[in-house]
Amino acid sequence: MNALTAVRSLTTLPVVTLGGDAVAHVKDTVFDPEAGRIASFTLTGRTLLSGPLPRDLPWAAVHCLGRHAVMVRDEGALCALPLSVARRDALRGRLLGAHVMTDDGDLVGTVLDVLVEGGTSGRLVAFRLAAHRELVHGTRHRRHRVYVPRGEALSVSGRTLVIPAHATTYVTDDLPAFTARVGAYHDRGGRAAS
């Protein structure tokens, strides 16, 4: 598995051509919930103060997603797009702030961030949640932030995300331990251990 990248850290990341030219910055990450991966990026201009661009960067045009830049072959990778369409797509693919429920009907938290696989994958791997006390027990005054794998199914309706109930058995608040657990989870095909 490639390195995991938090989607919040992608905002303002430069879009750089293989020739070394910075052609834009990432504004929003748009997901394709059915495919479980990044669909596209909405963009701002070359400087962060230049505002939204009427262009979009579809995932198919991304050469590689790195920790410090989104790499594209050339500026032709950016697609002309009406700004209204870009805004609509960004809202449709938004996961941050969504309520998370299991397929058993239990509310387990709220999405704080999304972890995606870098490189050429763009696969949505996990969520960082503000967990409800029912998911992680502790003091009332402590806010628990945990990681939970995406699971084999992802359903987003409005502002609610549904994950498999057995995915909650892989919850942890430690990212390195979580990475190992996600590897085990995916090795089992996204199913609970038997």
Side-chain angles (χ1 to χ4, degrees), residues 117-134:
E117 196 171 37
T120 58
S121 169
R123 186 170 57 100
L124 192 156
V125 176
F127 304 100
R128 185 170 187 230
L129 305 181
H132 287 192
R133 286 190 319 216
E134 293 77 21

Side-chain angles (χ1 to χ4, degrees), residues 148-169:
V148 63
R150 175 179 72 89
E152 76 276 3
L154 170 67
S155 174
V156 180
S157 175
R159 300 293 291 147
T160 303
L161 168 72
V162 179
I163 62 172
H166 56 79
T168 62
T169 61

Side-chain angles (χ1 to χ4, degrees), residues 4-94:
L4 298 181
T5 302
V7 167
R8 284 190 187 268
S9 70
L10 298 179
T11 303
T12 73
L13 212 59
V15 177
V16 180
T17 67
L18 293 179
D21 296 324
V23 294
H25 283 86
V26 172
K27 183 177 184 306
D28 288 309
T29 303
V30 180
F31 291 100
D32 178 348
E34 292 170 5
R37 66 183 56 250
I38 296 172
S40 65
F41 297 106
T42 60
L43 305 171
T44 62
R46 289 184 181 106
T47 66
L48 297 178
L49 300 175
S50 54
L53 282 180
R55 290 195 253 169
D56 174 91
L57 177 59
W59 180 257
V62 171
H63 175 72
C64 185
L65 172 61
R67 291 185 317 181
H68 304 290
V70 177
M71 301 300 296
V72 295
R73 293 205 182 279
D74 56 39
E75 196 167 350
L78 309 182
C79 298
L81 185 70
L83 202 49
S84 60
V85 172
R87 286 188 182 130
R88 184 201 66 216
D89 288 349
L91 288 172
R92 189 196 66 210
R94 183 170 289 163

